[in-house]
Amino acid sequence: MKNLNFKNSITAFLLIASAIGFSQNKSSNTVSLDVFYSKIQAEKKPQIIDARGPEEFALNHINGAVNFNLESKNYAEQIAKLDKTKPVFTYSIGAGRSVWLADELLKNGFKEAYSLEGGIANWIGSGKPFYSNSKSKLTLAEYNKIIAENKDILVDIGSVYCGACKKVKPVLETIKAQYGNNLKIVEIDLEDNTQVIADLKTIKVFPTLILYQNGKIVFKKEGFENLKKEVDVALAVR
């Protein structure tokens, strides 16, 4: 009966998520990167769950993680293999699926379950150890060269699987249409440039927008709210 209830709650969650998208949720079980990492280090064989889709997991993931796809038919069976007496560490692209999963595990008798604040963006963006199946198209040296060679440059760092990152694109198009060649826009996705995001050691969430002028950071913002306005203000006072 417990497995059936767990499966039903998964189905309900997926129906809601498909309608509104995965949000950047928080709960009492969402912990900072430092706490998440230290707790993992304290375990001999940490139970780390990547709650993203299998295609996302195949591209990159935390070392030692296993993929528990919420949409898989044997999801409940995968959960049943976990040790309820030991901590479970969950993460996703942000803090949507992983928060829900950690809360659901606790409801179903698990002693400890933690979701990583900022998800995979925070982990890789802080330079923690990870697996990637491809080499970054852009190196840190090349990134720094682009910054140095352009007077005004706006960098968009995100993921093709991030809902909020997709909403940035039309804003960038509006900015590009207004400023043309006077403002260089560089888009860096996790899937193509995992290592350079790790090397920057400054990304905690997707999307992150950074505006440089003459090689110096004018602003760095998490999320795209008021992005156009902030770019206009910065470029107006050059």
Side-chain angles (χ1 to χ4, degrees):
M1 180 62 72
K2 284 186 178 181
N3 281 344
L4 180 60
N5 289 337
F6 194 71
K7 189 173 183 179
N8 289 338
S9 64
I10 294 169
T11 302
F13 170 74
L14 289 172
L15 288 173
I16 295 172
S18 64
I20 64 175
F22 293 115
S23 62
Q24 296 293 317
N25 298 325
K26 273 195 176 184
S27 77
S28 58
N29 304 310
T30 302
V31 297
S32 68
L33 175 65
D34 288 343
V35 171
F36 194 83
Y37 185 69
S38 64
K39 286 183 177 293
I40 284 178
Q41 293 295 98
E43 298 292 317
K44 289 184 177 180
K45 293 183 178 180
Q47 301 181 114
I48 308 172
I49 298 179
D50 186 312
R52 300 177 298 164
E55 67 285 350
E56 297 172 76
F57 178 80
L59 290 170
N60 51 71
H61 54 259
I62 293 176
N63 287 344
V66 294
N67 185 215
F68 280 16
N69 180 16
L70 297 180
E71 299 180 37
S72 66
K73 294 181 179 180
N74 65 338
Y75 186 79
E77 287 79 2
Q78 288 179 302
I79 295 297
K81 295 177 182 178
L82 295 172
D83 187 341
K84 289 187 174 184
T85 67
K86 295 181 179 180
V88 178
F89 305 94
T90 72
Y91 70 92
S92 52
I93 192 67
R97 291 166 283 186
S98 60
V99 170
W100 177 87
L101 177 56
D103 289 344
E104 202 64 26
L105 290 174
L106 291 172
K107 291 177 185 176
N108 283 271
F110 282 76
K111 184 179 179 181
E112 296 178 73
Y114 303 98
S115 171
L116 173 60
E117 183 178 15
I120 192 69
N122 196 6
W123 183 276
I124 291 179
S126 298
K128 299 300 184 190
F130 64 91
Y131 163 83
S132 175
N133 74 350
S134 62
K135 183 179 180 180
S136 289
K137 293 181 178 179
L138 185 70
T139 67
L140 183 59
E142 290 168 337
Y143 177 91
N144 290 332
K145 187 172 185 289
I146 293 172
I147 302 302
E149 291 179 346
N150 290 273
K151 183 177 181 182
D152 299 308
I153 179 167
L154 179 62
V155 181
D156 167 34
I157 301 176
S159 165
V160 297
Y161 295 100
C162 163
C165 299
K166 294 177 182 178
K167 294 179 181 179
V168 176
K169 304 309 178 184
V171 180
L172 292 178
E173 288 301 319
T174 299
I175 293 172
K176 188 182 299 182
Q178 178 175 340
Y179 292 100
N181 294 331
N182 292 323
L183 175 66
K184 185 174 182 63
I185 296 177
V186 176
E187 299 177 60
I188 298 177
D189 289 327
L190 176 69
E191 293 69 35
D192 293 327
N193 288 291
T194 313
Q195 189 58 54
V196 74
I197 291 176
D199 290 340
L200 286 171
K201 291 185 173 62
T202 187
I203 307 305
K204 295 183 179 180
V205 67
F206 291 148
T208 291
L209 287 302
I210 308 173
L211 178 66
Y212 294 87
Q213 287 185 328
N214 299 316
K216 296 181 179 180
I217 295 177
V218 176
F219 69 71
K220 174 188 168 189
K221 60 189 283 92
E222 297 173 351
F224 62 95
E225 186 176 355
N226 297 320
L227 174 62
K228 174 66 165 57
K229 181 179 179 180
E230 291 186 37
V231 169
D232 289 341
V233 170
L235 297 186
V237 297
R238 287 184 296 178

